Amino acid sequence: MPQSETRVSTNDQPARDAASPPAGRRLTTLARGHSAYFVGVEGDPADAASLRALGLRPNCKIVVRRLGEPSIIEVGGCCCGSGRRLGIARPLADRVLVADAPLSADRCDPA
Amino acid sequence: MPAATEPAPHDPPRGQADRPLDADARRIAFVGNPNVGKTTLFNKLAGLRAQTSNFPGTTQEARLALDRTGTLPPGSRFIDLPGTYSLTLDTGEARVTRGTLDGSTAPRGEQVEAPSAVCVVLDACDLPRGFLLLGEVLRTRLPMVVAINMVDSARRRGIRGDEEELARRLGCEVVVCSGRSGEGVEALRAALGRARIPIDGPRGSQEALEQWADELAIDIFAAPESDARQSLTDRFDRAFTHPLSGLTIFAAVMTLLFWSIFKLATYPMDWIDGAFGWLAGAVGGALGDGLISQLLADGIIAGVGATAVFLPQIVLLFLLIALIEDTGYLARAAFVMDRVMRPFGLNGHAFVPLLSSHACALPGIMACRGIPDRRDRLAAILVAPFMSCTARIPVYVLLVSLLFPGRPGVQALAFTGCYAIGAIAGLLSSLVIRRTILRGRSRPMLLELPEYRPPQLGKSIRLALERGMVFLKKAGTVILAISIVLWWLGSFPQGSDAPSPDAPTTQTAPAETLAQDAPTDSDDIAPAPATYLERLGSIAQPIFAPLGYDRQLTVGVLASFAAREVFVTTMAVTVLGDEDADIADEGVLRALSSADRADGSPLFDTPTTWSLLVYFILAMQCLPTLAVTAREAGGVRWAFVQLGWMSGLAWVLAAVTYQSLSLIGAS
């Protein structure tokens, strides 16, 4: 596996220190076409389990493809898959938290 | 990528890995996430010989096929299990997959025992997605082969997987292949013949399993970062999910779908209709006028033929839905419908179950298990039978053809309207349910949106033909039995003093009288009915008199409670039972259109035909559906709620339709 692919990040911000993970902000605050890293979901744990079953786990990079009803995100890059799209209804998208940089350096974006 | 990768040597657990498997025929189960191309790969391995079989007590299906290539031991069989994200989920797919792997269940026709090997199918473009399921299968300690499918697509997109490392980590063979192109398929078949027990799976909690899957993903998978630029997929997604254009496209697709069904199916329907007509005439001519001749011509051939004539439409419906689903559009349509359904207390998760209910309410209700929230699930179960199932198609076709003869465009529109009325009734019923017995808001929707791709015609045709065979089997068993019973009820007792079935009777009063004084006092006017069927119809007819139904139509409605399509069969047998020439010369549909009541008025006059259409769109006329509702909803009371609500609504609206049209003088 070419390591260079796993290290490349198109994110504008550099990866932060794993010891101080970035605070999450809401997915719906991102603009269309922007990317971020999945942190988690507020509220019902069943929603987190559903996202996990679909392969979305902390630190996965996501690109916002559509905002609104529904929001469409693309999960891709590194070890999180390649371009899988998930449709998320607006009430759930409002509760999805993302970060501008990876949460830790030992996952998809090894620093 | 190499075609196949041998595993690194490892210590075989419990000494079973070295056990030779070639001595016996293999039963190889195919397991994988949805949308990983598992069925395409299975078809490539199995050729055209696969059969569909359901699991006892469920509507979950598996596809079974014998390997005839000689690569595997004689008698070796493949079992294609339903796609599932995990074995631990509380869904029908997960349950039957789990049961098959632990040997507690098997598709009908298969021995109930654990398979001798498992083929775990992964998507080469998205390996990590399947690792949770892979870890769960590892825990079963069954001999295993991993198939990394759709490798051609992954190459095009620059996605890499380290299958050698994966094979080393798992201790089993890993084969890269493409079900579409056939690449690596024979290598996979050979590998399945050498399947061996892999390493011990990740033990411990769900978190431990997730951590194992994550680490595996980091170590063996690499994909380019997602491109943030706009793509063609973005443009399609925006168009298909837009509030206005999305809904417009959806309406256009559905209208085109049903128009195609009507237009294209006409010719084979005519051929089948003609063939059954000819057969009935030939049998009648050869055997003369006797009881056996009547049974064959009027009972069996007319009854089965009246249902079998709709086979082309059913095959075409399944074919077109399969083609649309294959393109990836259907998931986008689910979000369009989520927007429409949520105000009514349903969410987009219910879209696929409700769409499945258009084939049959049984799998639709079973599919409701995938709806996470209990109240959402119950609401979807209760309204699923409002969706127009294929059993209604023969009735719709008959009634729409009678209302708009020789106008296929209007027929298609009316047909779409029938589906729309059913769906609207379902939504409004859900609204009532969510504001009364199931209060609360629905859960927000989350769904994977598959990649857009050209549909696979061969796969879709195969699926449609398999569904058609299921329909034919039903026509050859249940419908055949009902046809014989109905013929007997409609023909006996014979030789009594009672008048014949064609004797003039007045089952319904004139429309204007009914509007004021329903039900009719028909039995004071008409002579006693001759046959058992007529007697049954006489007893129940007053209930349906406000809807415009005479004794014959009442019998048809009652008989169709077993299965809706039986209405057409009942009409063919009871109305045309003594009219061999009509069946032979004009065809069943045309003969029905010219049938009269005992008083000489048309049996299917306009108000009555509209009333019947409304009734069949809305009524709960299916005993198996009630049984499944009771089981899936967790209580018989839900089945009674469904029956009472649907049939009550159907009766009221059909009566309103009939009385209104009669008042304005429609004829």
Coordinates of all heavy atoms in Angstrom, one line a residue, chain B residues 40-101:
Chain B
T40 N -24.3 -10.4 -8.4 CA -23.7 -10.5 -9.7 C -22.6 -11.5 -9.7 O -22.5 -12.3 -10.7 CB -23.1 -9.1 -10.1 OG1 -24.1 -8.1 -10.0 CG2 -22.6 -9.1 -11.5
L41 N -21.8 -11.5 -8.7 CA -20.8 -12.5 -8.6 C -21.3 -13.9 -8.5 O -20.9 -14.9 -9.1 CB -19.9 -12.2 -7.3 CG -18.7 -13.1 -7.1 CD1 -17.7 -13.0 -8.2 CD2 -18.0 -12.7 -5.8
F42 N -22.4 -14.1 -7.7 CA -23.1 -15.4 -7.5 C -23.6 -15.8 -8.9 O -23.4 -17.0 -9.3 CB -24.2 -15.2 -6.5 CG -25.0 -16.4 -6.3 CD1 -24.7 -17.4 -5.4 CD2 -26.2 -16.7 -7.1 CE1 -25.4 -18.5 -5.2 CE2 -26.9 -17.8 -6.9 CZ -26.6 -18.8 -6.0
N43 N -24.2 -14.9 -9.6 CA -24.8 -15.3 -11.0 C -23.7 -15.8 -11.9 O -23.8 -16.7 -12.7 CB -25.5 -14.1 -11.6 CG -26.8 -13.8 -10.9 OD1 -27.4 -14.7 -10.2 ND2 -27.3 -12.6 -11.1
K44 N -22.5 -15.1 -11.8 CA -21.4 -15.5 -12.7 C -20.9 -16.9 -12.3 O -20.6 -17.7 -13.2 CB -20.3 -14.5 -12.5 CG -19.4 -14.3 -13.7 CD -20.1 -13.5 -14.7 CE -19.2 -13.2 -15.9 NZ -19.9 -12.5 -16.9
L45 N -20.9 -17.2 -11.0 CA -20.5 -18.5 -10.6 C -21.6 -19.6 -10.9 O -21.2 -20.7 -11.3 CB -20.2 -18.6 -9.1 CG -18.9 -18.0 -8.6 CD1 -19.0 -17.7 -7.1 CD2 -17.8 -19.0 -8.9
A46 N -22.8 -19.2 -10.7 CA -23.9 -20.2 -10.8 C -24.5 -20.4 -12.2 O -25.1 -21.3 -12.5 CB -25.0 -19.8 -9.9
G47 N -24.2 -19.4 -13.1 CA -24.8 -19.5 -14.4 C -26.3 -19.2 -14.4 O -26.8 -18.4 -13.5
L48 N -27.1 -19.9 -15.2 CA -28.5 -19.6 -15.3 C -29.3 -20.6 -14.5 O -30.6 -20.6 -14.6 CB -29.0 -19.7 -16.8 CG -28.3 -18.6 -17.7 CD1 -28.7 -19.0 -19.1 CD2 -28.8 -17.2 -17.4
R49 N -28.7 -21.3 -13.6 CA -29.4 -22.4 -13.0 C -29.9 -22.1 -11.5 O -30.3 -23.0 -10.8 CB -28.6 -23.6 -13.0 CG -28.2 -24.1 -14.4 CD -27.3 -25.3 -14.4 NE -26.0 -24.9 -13.9 CZ -25.0 -24.4 -14.7 NH1 -25.2 -24.2 -15.9 NH2 -23.8 -24.1 -14.2
A50 N -29.8 -20.8 -11.1 CA -30.2 -20.5 -9.8 C -31.7 -20.6 -9.5 O -32.4 -20.3 -10.4 CB -29.6 -19.2 -9.4
Q51 N -32.1 -21.0 -8.3 CA -33.5 -21.0 -8.0 C -33.6 -20.1 -6.7 O -32.7 -20.1 -5.9 CB -33.9 -22.4 -7.7 CG -34.0 -23.3 -8.9 CD -34.5 -24.7 -8.6 OE1 -34.3 -25.2 -7.5 NE2 -35.3 -25.2 -9.5
T52 N -34.8 -19.5 -6.6 CA -35.1 -18.7 -5.4 C -35.8 -19.6 -4.4 O -36.8 -20.3 -4.8 CB -35.9 -17.5 -5.8 OG1 -35.1 -16.7 -6.7 CG2 -36.1 -16.6 -4.6
S53 N -35.4 -19.5 -3.1 CA -36.1 -20.2 -2.1 C -36.2 -19.3 -0.9 O -35.3 -18.6 -0.6 CB -35.3 -21.5 -1.8 OG -35.9 -22.1 -0.7
N54 N -37.3 -19.4 -0.2 CA -37.4 -18.6 1.0 C -37.1 -19.3 2.3 O -37.1 -20.6 2.3 CB -38.8 -17.9 1.1 CG -39.9 -18.9 1.4 OD1 -39.9 -20.0 0.9 ND2 -40.7 -18.6 2.4
F55 N -36.9 -18.6 3.4 CA -36.6 -19.3 4.6 C -38.0 -19.5 5.3 O -38.8 -18.7 5.3 CB -35.7 -18.4 5.5 CG -34.3 -18.3 5.1 CD1 -33.9 -17.4 4.1 CD2 -33.4 -19.2 5.7 CE1 -32.6 -17.4 3.7 CE2 -32.1 -19.1 5.3 CZ -31.7 -18.2 4.3
P56 N -38.1 -20.7 5.9 CA -39.4 -21.0 6.5 C -39.8 -20.0 7.5 O -39.0 -19.5 8.3 CB -39.1 -22.4 7.2 CG -37.9 -22.9 6.5 CD -37.1 -21.8 6.1
G57 N -41.1 -19.6 7.4 CA -41.6 -18.7 8.4 C -41.2 -17.2 8.1 O -41.5 -16.3 8.9
T58 N -40.5 -17.0 7.0 CA -40.1 -15.6 6.7 C -40.4 -15.4 5.2 O -40.7 -16.3 4.5 CB -38.6 -15.4 7.0 OG1 -37.9 -16.0 5.9 CG2 -38.2 -16.0 8.3
T59 N -40.2 -14.1 4.8 CA -40.2 -13.8 3.4 C -38.8 -13.5 2.9 O -38.6 -13.0 1.8 CB -41.2 -12.7 3.1 OG1 -40.8 -11.6 3.9 CG2 -42.6 -13.0 3.3
Q60 N -37.8 -13.7 3.8 CA -36.4 -13.5 3.3 C -36.1 -14.7 2.3 O -36.5 -15.8 2.5 CB -35.5 -13.6 4.5 CG -35.6 -12.5 5.5 CD -35.2 -11.2 4.8 OE1 -34.4 -11.1 3.9 NE2 -35.8 -10.1 5.3
E61 N -35.4 -14.3 1.3 CA -35.1 -15.3 0.2 C -33.6 -15.5 0.1 O -32.8 -14.6 0.4 CB -35.6 -14.8 -1.1 CG -37.2 -14.8 -1.2 CD -37.7 -14.2 -2.4 OE1 -36.9 -13.5 -3.1 OE2 -38.8 -14.5 -2.8
A62 N -33.3 -16.7 -0.3 CA -31.9 -17.0 -0.7 C -32.0 -17.6 -2.1 O -33.0 -18.1 -2.5 CB -31.3 -18.0 0.3
R63 N -30.9 -17.5 -2.8 CA -30.8 -18.1 -4.2 C -29.9 -19.3 -4.1 O -28.8 -19.2 -3.5 CB -30.4 -17.1 -5.2 CG -31.4 -15.9 -5.3 CD -31.0 -14.9 -6.2 NE -31.1 -15.3 -7.6 CZ -30.1 -15.3 -8.4 NH1 -28.9 -14.9 -8.0 NH2 -30.2 -15.7 -9.7
L64 N -30.3 -20.4 -4.7 CA -29.6 -21.6 -4.6 C -29.1 -22.1 -6.0 O -29.9 -21.9 -6.9 CB -30.4 -22.7 -4.0 CG -31.2 -22.4 -2.7 CD1 -32.2 -23.5 -2.3 CD2 -30.2 -22.1 -1.6
A65 N -27.9 -22.6 -6.1 CA -27.5 -23.1 -7.4 C -26.5 -24.3 -7.2 O -25.7 -24.2 -6.2 CB -26.8 -22.0 -8.2
L66 N -26.5 -25.2 -8.1 CA -25.6 -26.3 -8.0 C -24.4 -25.9 -8.9 O -24.5 -25.3 -9.9 CB -26.2 -27.6 -8.7 CG -26.9 -28.6 -7.8 CD1 -27.6 -29.6 -8.6 CD2 -26.0 -29.2 -6.8
D67 N -23.2 -26.3 -8.4 CA -22.0 -26.1 -9.3 C -21.9 -27.3 -10.2 O -21.9 -28.5 -9.8 CB -20.8 -26.0 -8.4 CG -19.5 -25.9 -9.2 OD1 -19.3 -24.8 -9.8 OD2 -18.8 -26.9 -9.4
R68 N -21.9 -27.0 -11.5 CA -21.8 -28.1 -12.5 C -20.5 -28.1 -13.3 O -20.4 -28.7 -14.3 CB -23.0 -28.0 -13.5 CG -24.3 -28.2 -12.8 CD -25.5 -27.9 -13.8 NE -26.8 -27.7 -13.1 CZ -27.6 -28.7 -12.8 NH1 -27.3 -29.9 -13.2 NH2 -28.7 -28.5 -12.2
T69 N -19.6 -27.3 -12.8 CA -18.3 -27.2 -13.6 C -17.4 -28.3 -13.4 O -16.5 -28.5 -14.1 CB -17.6 -25.9 -13.2 OG1 -17.3 -25.9 -11.8 CG2 -18.5 -24.6 -13.5
G70 N -17.5 -29.0 -12.3 CA -16.6 -30.1 -12.0 C -15.4 -29.6 -11.1 O -14.6 -30.4 -10.7
T71 N -15.3 -28.3 -11.0 CA -14.2 -27.8 -10.1 C -14.4 -28.2 -8.7 O -13.5 -28.5 -8.0 CB -14.2 -26.2 -10.3 OG1 -14.1 -25.9 -11.6 CG2 -13.0 -25.7 -9.5
L72 N -15.6 -28.1 -8.3 CA -16.0 -28.5 -6.9 C -16.5 -29.9 -6.9 O -16.9 -30.4 -7.9 CB -17.0 -27.5 -6.3 CG -16.6 -26.1 -6.2 CD1 -17.8 -25.2 -5.8 CD2 -15.5 -26.0 -5.1
P73 N -16.5 -30.6 -5.7 CA -17.0 -31.9 -5.7 C -18.5 -32.0 -6.2 O -19.2 -31.1 -6.0 CB -16.9 -32.3 -4.2 CG -15.9 -31.4 -3.6 CD -16.0 -30.1 -4.4
P74 N -18.8 -33.1 -6.8 CA -20.2 -33.2 -7.3 C -21.2 -33.0 -6.2 O -21.1 -33.4 -5.1 CB -20.3 -34.7 -7.8 CG -18.9 -35.1 -8.1 CD -18.0 -34.3 -7.1
G75 N -22.3 -32.3 -6.6 CA -23.4 -32.0 -5.7 C -23.1 -30.7 -4.9 O -23.9 -30.3 -4.0
S76 N -22.0 -30.0 -5.1 CA -21.7 -28.8 -4.3 C -22.7 -27.7 -4.7 O -23.1 -27.6 -5.9 CB -20.3 -28.3 -4.6 OG -19.4 -29.3 -4.1
R77 N -23.1 -26.9 -3.7 CA -24.1 -25.9 -3.9 C -23.7 -24.6 -3.4 O -23.0 -24.5 -2.4 CB -25.4 -26.4 -3.2 CG -25.9 -27.7 -3.7 CD -27.2 -28.1 -3.1 NE -27.2 -28.3 -1.6 CZ -26.5 -29.3 -1.0 NH1 -25.9 -30.2 -1.7 NH2 -26.6 -29.4 0.3
F78 N -24.2 -23.6 -4.1 CA -24.0 -22.2 -3.6 C -25.3 -21.6 -3.0 O -26.4 -21.9 -3.5 CB -23.6 -21.3 -4.8 CG -22.3 -21.7 -5.5 CD1 -22.3 -21.9 -6.9 CD2 -21.1 -21.9 -4.8 CE1 -21.2 -22.3 -7.5 CE2 -20.0 -22.3 -5.5 CZ -20.0 -22.5 -6.8
I79 N -25.2 -20.9 -1.9 CA -26.3 -20.3 -1.3 C -26.1 -18.8 -1.2 O -25.1 -18.3 -0.5 CB -26.6 -20.8 0.1 CG1 -26.7 -22.3 0.1 CG2 -27.9 -20.2 0.7 CD1 -26.6 -23.0 1.5
D80 N -26.8 -18.0 -1.9 CA -26.7 -16.5 -1.9 C -27.6 -15.9 -0.9 O -28.8 -15.9 -1.0 CB -27.0 -15.9 -3.3 CG -26.8 -14.5 -3.4 OD1 -26.1 -13.9 -2.6 OD2 -27.4 -13.8 -4.3
L81 N -27.0 -15.5 0.2 CA -27.8 -15.0 1.4 C -28.1 -13.5 1.2 O -27.4 -12.8 0.5 CB -27.1 -15.2 2.7 CG -26.9 -16.7 3.0 CD1 -25.9 -16.9 4.2 CD2 -28.3 -17.3 3.4
P82 N -29.1 -13.0 1.8 CA -29.4 -11.5 1.7 C -28.3 -10.6 2.2 O -27.6 -11.0 3.1 CB -30.7 -11.3 2.5 CG -31.2 -12.7 2.9 CD -30.1 -13.6 2.7
G83 N -28.1 -9.5 1.6 CA -27.1 -8.6 2.0 C -27.4 -8.0 3.4 O -28.5 -7.6 3.7
T84 N -26.4 -7.9 4.2 CA -26.5 -7.3 5.6 C -25.3 -6.6 6.0 O -24.2 -7.0 5.6 CB -26.9 -8.4 6.6 OG1 -27.1 -7.8 7.9 CG2 -25.9 -9.5 6.7
Y85 N -25.4 -5.6 6.8 CA -24.2 -4.8 7.3 C -23.6 -5.5 8.5 O -22.4 -5.3 8.7 CB -24.6 -3.4 7.7 CG -25.0 -2.5 6.5 CD1 -26.3 -2.2 6.2 CD2 -24.0 -2.1 5.7 CE1 -26.6 -1.4 5.1 CE2 -24.3 -1.3 4.6 CZ -25.6 -0.9 4.3 OH -25.9 -0.2 3.2
S86 N -24.4 -6.3 9.2 CA -23.8 -7.0 10.4 C -24.7 -8.2 10.7 O -25.9 -8.2 10.4 CB -23.8 -6.0 11.5 OG -23.6 -6.6 12.8
L87 N -24.1 -9.1 11.4 CA -24.9 -10.3 11.8 C -25.7 -10.0 13.1 O -26.6 -10.8 13.5 CB -24.0 -11.5 12.1 CG -23.2 -12.1 10.9 CD1 -22.3 -13.3 11.4 CD2 -24.1 -12.5 9.8
T88 N -25.4 -8.9 13.8 CA -26.0 -8.7 15.1 C -27.2 -7.7 15.0 O -27.9 -7.5 16.0 CB -25.0 -8.0 16.0 OG1 -24.5 -6.8 15.5 CG2 -23.8 -9.0 16.3
L89 N -27.5 -7.2 13.8 CA -28.6 -6.3 13.7 C -29.9 -7.0 13.9 O -30.0 -8.2 13.6 CB -28.6 -5.6 12.3 CG -27.4 -4.7 12.0 CD1 -27.4 -4.2 10.6 CD2 -27.4 -3.5 13.0
D90 N -30.9 -6.3 14.3 CA -32.3 -6.9 14.4 C -33.1 -6.7 13.1 O -34.1 -6.0 13.1 CB -33.0 -6.2 15.6 CG -34.3 -6.9 15.9 OD1 -34.4 -8.1 15.6 OD2 -35.2 -6.2 16.5
T91 N -32.6 -7.3 12.1 CA -33.3 -7.2 10.8 C -33.4 -8.6 10.3 O -32.7 -9.5 10.7 CB -32.4 -6.4 9.8 OG1 -31.2 -7.1 9.5 CG2 -32.1 -5.0 10.2
G92 N -34.4 -8.8 9.3 CA -34.7 -10.1 8.8 C -33.4 -10.6 8.1 O -33.1 -11.8 8.2
E93 N -32.7 -9.8 7.3 CA -31.5 -10.2 6.6 C -30.5 -10.7 7.6 O -29.9 -11.8 7.3 CB -31.0 -9.0 5.8 CG -31.8 -8.5 4.6 CD -32.9 -7.5 5.1 OE1 -32.9 -7.2 6.3 OE2 -33.6 -7.1 4.2
A94 N -30.2 -10.0 8.6 CA -29.2 -10.4 9.6 C -29.6 -11.7 10.3 O -28.8 -12.6 10.5 CB -29.0 -9.3 10.6
R95 N -30.9 -11.8 10.6 CA -31.4 -13.0 11.3 C -31.2 -14.3 10.5 O -30.7 -15.3 11.0 CB -32.9 -12.9 11.6 CG -33.1 -12.5 13.1 CD -34.6 -12.6 13.4 NE -35.4 -11.5 12.8 CZ -35.6 -10.4 13.3 NH1 -35.1 -10.1 14.5 NH2 -36.3 -9.4 12.7
V96 N -31.6 -14.3 9.2 CA -31.5 -15.5 8.4 C -30.0 -15.8 8.1 O -29.6 -17.0 8.0 CB -32.3 -15.4 7.1 CG1 -33.8 -15.3 7.4 CG2 -31.9 -14.3 6.2
T97 N -29.2 -14.7 7.9 CA -27.8 -15.0 7.7 C -27.1 -15.6 8.9 O -26.4 -16.6 8.8 CB -27.1 -13.6 7.3 OG1 -27.7 -13.1 6.2 CG2 -25.6 -13.9 7.0
R98 N -27.5 -15.0 10.1 CA -26.9 -15.6 11.3 C -27.4 -17.0 11.5 O -26.6 -17.9 11.8 CB -27.5 -14.7 12.4 CG -26.8 -14.8 13.8 CD -27.2 -13.6 14.7 NE -28.6 -13.5 14.9 CZ -29.3 -12.4 14.8 NH1 -28.8 -11.3 14.3 NH2 -30.6 -12.4 15.1
G99 N -28.6 -17.3 11.2 CA -29.2 -18.6 11.4 C -28.6 -19.6 10.5 O -28.3 -20.8 10.8
T100 N -28.3 -19.2 9.2 CA -27.7 -20.1 8.2 C -26.3 -20.4 8.7 O -25.9 -21.6 8.6 CB -27.7 -19.4 6.8 OG1 -29.1 -19.1 6.5 CG2 -27.2 -20.4 5.8
L101 N -25.6 -19.5 9.1 CA -24.2 -19.7 9.5 C -24.1 -20.6 10.7 O -23.1 -21.4 10.9 CB -23.4 -18.4 9.7 CG -23.3 -17.5 8.4 CD1 -22.3 -16.4 8.7 CD2 -22.8 -18.3 7.2

